[in-house]
Amino acid sequence: MANEVRISKLICTVLYLVHVNGYVFYGFGNGYRYLTKQLSNAGLFDASALSSVEAKWIEQPLDHFDENETRTWKMRYFENLEFWQPNGTIYLFIGGEGEASPVWLTMGILYELANETNGAIFGSEHRYYGKSMPLNNLVTDNLKFLSSRQALADLETLLKYVRSLPKFEKSTDSKVVLIGGSYPGNLAAWMKLLYPNLIDAAIASSAPVLAKKDFFEYLETVADDYEQHGTPECYDNIARIFQRYEKLFSSAEGIKLLKEEEKICEDNDMTKLENKQLFFMDKTSPFMIRAQYGNPAYIQTHCKKLANSSRVASLQQFFDDEPSFWREETECFDYDFYNMIDEVKEIDWAVSWIYQTCTEFGYYQSTNSDAHPFTRNIPADLYYKMCLGMFGHEFNEERINAGVLNTNKLYNGLTPNVTHVVFVNGDMDPWHRLGVLEDVSYEAPAKIIPAASHCRDLFSNRKGDPEELKEARKYIKYLIEKWTGFGEYTVD
C-alpha cells in the first residue's frame, strides 16, 4: 500500500491549481516538478541513464509575430540520442509550467517508444519557466510575451532547427512525434493543429483543451471519486466535517475555537471573506490531490482516516520554493489573502502560471455547485481577485473572459481539427472534464482509462499497473507506430 501511495504521487501533471498552499499548487501544471522530485526515491528510472542526456540552448525571438520586435532570448532544451539510428523517429517531450528536467527523457512511454523505433528524444522548456526566461517575469509588462501561442512558435523553431542538424538532415524518412501531459498535452494537440506539416503524430495526455473560467466540475469529479471508490459513509463524513467548519465561521466563538483547533495565526482576521476562502482551499486540497494523482486504494485509506474525525489535516509545504500557508517562525497557518499574494509575487513559476490562467485559460476550481460535499466557500471570484492583486486593475474578470474566449476560438476547444492525435484521460482525474472524451475522428481517437489518474499513461510503476492501464499503453504505442509507419506494431 505504501508503494502504491508513493507511486500515485509520481504521476505527471503539468497543471497547477492556482491555489496558493504548498500542496495546493500541486494540481494543474506542477506535476512534472512533483514527478521529478520523487522519481529517484521510487526507483522508477536508472540514474545512469541521465548520462545520455545533454542540455542545450537555442536562440528564440522574443515575439514571433511582431517583425518590429528584434530582441531574442535563449531557450533550454534536452537531447537524448541513446537509441538514435538514421531514419528513426524524432520525439519531443513538451515542458510546461515548471522547470524542465533531464529525467523526463529517461523513462515512461516516451523512452519505451524511442527504444522500439530507433528514436531521438528531445525535451523542451517552456518560455518563462525554469532557466528559459526571456525577461524578468516579476515585472508585469514583461509577461505580455508569455502565451501558449508564443510557446508553440518556440517549438516550431526548435523542431525546424533539429531537422536541419547534420545527424537528422539526411534522415528524410524520420517522423516527428510530440508527447505532452496536462497543459503540455494541450500544446501537443495544438501543435498538430497549427503546424500539421511539421508534426506527424501526438499524444495528448490528460489535456484540458477547453479553457473555462469557472471550473466547478473539478470538485464534482473529486466528489464522484470519493463516492465511487471510498467507504460507504465517506461522502457523508466529508460533508459533516465541512459543514462544521462553515458553522464555526458563523460566530465569534466558533472562529475562536477554529483558530485554536487549526493553529491559525493569531493576527489573521478570519471574519474577512478572502481569508475564510483560503482556509477552505487548504482543507479541500487533500481531496484534490488524492483524486488527481491517486487510485481507489489511496482514496479508501483517506476515507478511513476521516471516519471519526472532526477536521481535515492540512497539507504542509512540499517544495522548498513553493508558497505555503504554514509559518515556521510562528508555528501557525497564515490564511491572510494579501500575505499570500505578496509571497506568490516573489516566485517565478507561480507568477508565470497564474498569468497564463488570468489571460488564457481560467481553470479556476470553484465550489460553485451543489454536487459535492465541500460547501460553497471557494467562489470563482476569489481567483479574479488574485489576478487583480498579482497584476493590476486591468486583469479583471472581463479580461479573463476575453482570454478564455480567444483560446477556445483559436484552438477549437473540444473539437480541434487534427489527425493522428490520441487524446488520453483517466476517468478519476478531475481534469478529464475539460478534455476530449469522444473521438474527434477515426484518426483522432479518445481513450478513457478506468480508475486512472492524471497522466497515468505516460509513466508506469510497472508491476502495480492494472490491466486496463497496460492495455491502454499498448494501444497508444500501436497508434503512434501505425501513424509514423514504423515497424509492424500490433496490440496483443
Side-chain angles (χ1 to χ4, degrees):
M1 179 61 198
N3 185 58
E4 287 297 316
V5 171
R6 181 180 61 186
I7 297 303
S8 71
K9 291 183 178 180
L10 303 181
I11 305 313
C12 95
T13 160
V14 251
L15 307 168
Y16 294 99
L17 291 172
V18 186
H19 301 168
V20 195
N21 149 309
Y23 249 114
V24 198
F25 265 118
Y26 76 82
F28 181 57
N30 209 5
Y32 285 169
R33 293 173 70 246
Y34 188 35
L35 171 69
T36 303
K37 187 177 178 73
Q38 296 295 311
L39 281 176
S40 58
N41 294 332
L44 291 187
F45 75 99
D46 182 356
S48 64
L50 291 174
S51 63
S52 301
V53 182
E54 185 177 356
K56 299 197 170 190
W57 299 84
I58 182 174
E59 191 171 22
Q60 293 278 8
L62 181 60
D63 190 334
H64 290 274
F65 310 107
D66 182 357
E67 60 184 17
N68 295 320
E69 175 57 76
T70 59
R71 286 177 290 178
T72 61
W73 61 284
K74 295 288 188 180
M75 172 186 175
R76 186 172 63 153
Y77 69 98
F78 294 97
E79 175 187 271
N80 184 353
L81 302 183
E82 178 182 355
F83 304 119
W84 170 250
Q85 295 182 28
N87 291 315
T89 304
I90 297 171
Y91 294 93
L92 175 59
F93 190 83
I94 303 173
E97 58 287 30
E99 183 169 0
S101 170
V103 169
W104 304 345
L105 279 62
T106 64
M107 62 169 294
I109 199 169
L110 164 73
Y111 195 70
E112 295 165 10
L113 277 167
N115 188 19
E116 294 165 7
T117 63
N118 304 326
I121 311 174
F122 295 88
S124 64
E125 186 167 69
H126 197 295
R127 59 168 56 203
Y128 287 90
Y129 296 98
K131 294 180 172 60
S132 297
M133 298 295 289
L135 299 169
N136 179 3
N137 72 340
L138 301 183
V139 178
T140 297
D141 191 54
N142 289 346
L143 288 166
K144 63 186 177 184
F145 303 105
L146 170 58
S147 70
S148 59
R149 188 70 180 91
Q150 295 282 1
L152 293 172
D154 290 338
L155 297 180
E156 178 198 24
T157 300
L158 174 61
L159 287 170
K160 286 183 175 179
Y161 170 73
V162 167
R163 294 303 298 255
S164 72
L165 294 172
K167 64 174 68 68
F168 302 110
E169 188 176 20
K170 295 181 180 179
S171 293
T172 55
D173 291 335
S174 290
K175 307 298 184 182
V176 174
V177 176
L178 300 191
I179 299 176
S182 213
Y183 167 51
N186 294 0
L187 297 177
W190 295 341
M191 278 295 291
K192 195 67 173 68
L193 175 70
L194 299 186
Y195 303 98
N197 296 327
L198 189 61
I199 313 302
D200 295 287
I203 301 172
S205 175
S206 299
V209 293
L210 180 67
K212 194 172 191 293
K213 184 180 67 172
D214 184 356
F215 184 23
F216 62 83
E217 295 92 344
Y218 186 101
L219 282 171
E220 289 184 346
T221 306
V222 173
D224 290 344
D225 290 343
Y226 273 79
E227 190 163 33
Q228 180 179 351
H229 301 296
T231 57
E233 71 283 358
C234 191
Y235 190 99
D236 290 340
N237 285 336
I238 298 169
R240 170 180 52 79
I241 293 170
F242 276 82
Q243 287 166 11
R244 177 177 179 268
Y245 285 146
E246 190 171 54
K247 183 176 181 180
L248 289 174
F249 270 106
S250 67
S251 69
E253 294 78 7
I255 290 175
K256 181 180 178 181
L257 176 60
L258 187 71
K259 293 182 78 170
E260 293 172 356
E261 289 183 352
E262 300 291 341
K263 296 185 178 180
I264 298 173
C265 296
E266 187 62 34
D267 61 352
N268 283 178
D269 183 354
M270 299 309 291
T271 65
K272 289 186 176 179
L273 195 57
E274 294 91 344
N275 297 350
K276 172 184 175 181
Q277 291 162 355
L278 286 186
F279 173 86
F280 276 93
M281 275 188 175
D282 186 29
K283 295 305 180 182
T284 306
S285 63
F287 302 90
M288 293 176 167
I289 196 171
R290 285 168 172 84
Q292 183 164 318
Y293 294 109
N295 56 38
Y298 198 16
I299 287 177
Q300 282 249 340
T301 299
H302 192 210
C303 285
K304 290 174 182 177
K305 291 181 179 179
L306 297 172
N308 299 309
S309 178
S310 62
R311 57 186 297 268
V312 176
S314 297
L315 290 168
Q316 298 293 328
Q317 184 172 354
F318 186 72
F319 293 107
D320 292 338
D321 62 340
E322 271 190 19
S324 173
F325 290 133
W326 180 251
R327 294 287 172 262
E328 194 67 45
E329 63 276 11
T330 53
E331 295 187 341
C332 63
F333 287 95
D334 184 358
Y335 294 115
D336 184 277
F337 179 79
Y338 294 101
N339 288 348
M340 174 271 294
I341 291 290
D342 289 340
E343 183 178 357
V344 175
K345 282 182 177 180
E346 300 301 318
I347 300 174
D348 284 334
W349 62 261
V351 172
S352 295
W353 179 243
I354 294 174
Y355 180 85
Q356 287 196 263
T357 68
C358 296
T359 57
E360 293 191 84
F361 306 125
Y363 293 148
Y364 300 135
Q365 298 96 326
S366 78
T367 52
N368 292 341
S369 166
D370 292 323
H372 63 76
F374 304 108
T375 68
R376 282 179 167 260
N377 285 292
I378 311 173
D381 64 7
L382 179 66
Y383 300 96
Y384 314 155
K385 293 177 184 177
M386 186 180 296
C387 292
L388 291 169
M390 291 287 295
F391 307 114
H393 69 276
E394 294 180 2
F395 292 80
N396 53 23
E397 184 178 357
E398 183 179 351
R399 179 158 183 172
I400 298 170
N401 285 331
V404 168
L405 181 64
N406 290 338
T407 297
N408 290 331
K409 183 178 180 180
L410 177 61
Y411 303 123
N412 296 328
L414 296 176
T415 56
N417 184 20
V418 295
T419 58
H420 295 172
V421 178
V422 56
F423 296 91
V424 188
N425 284 279
D427 72 354
M428 275 185 61
D429 178 19
W431 290 100
H432 86 267
R433 297 286 290 272
L434 299 182
V436 175
L437 305 181
E438 297 181 359
D439 295 352
V440 176
S441 69
Y442 177 75
E443 294 293 332
K447 180 67 175 178
I448 302 176
I449 308 174
S453 53
H454 201 58
C455 299
R456 196 65 178 84
D457 52 301
L458 296 186
F459 301 101
S460 169
N461 67 339
R462 302 179 181 92
K463 294 181 181 179
D465 290 340
E467 286 304 313
E468 294 89 346
L469 188 54
K470 293 177 182 177
E471 291 303 314
R473 287 202 187 94
K474 289 182 181 179
Y475 174 66
I476 295 165
K477 287 186 180 182
Y478 159 75
L479 289 176
I480 295 302
E481 297 192 3
K482 171 188 172 185
W483 290 337
T484 57
F486 198 100
E488 306 230 349
Y489 193 93
T490 58
V491 178
D492 294 339

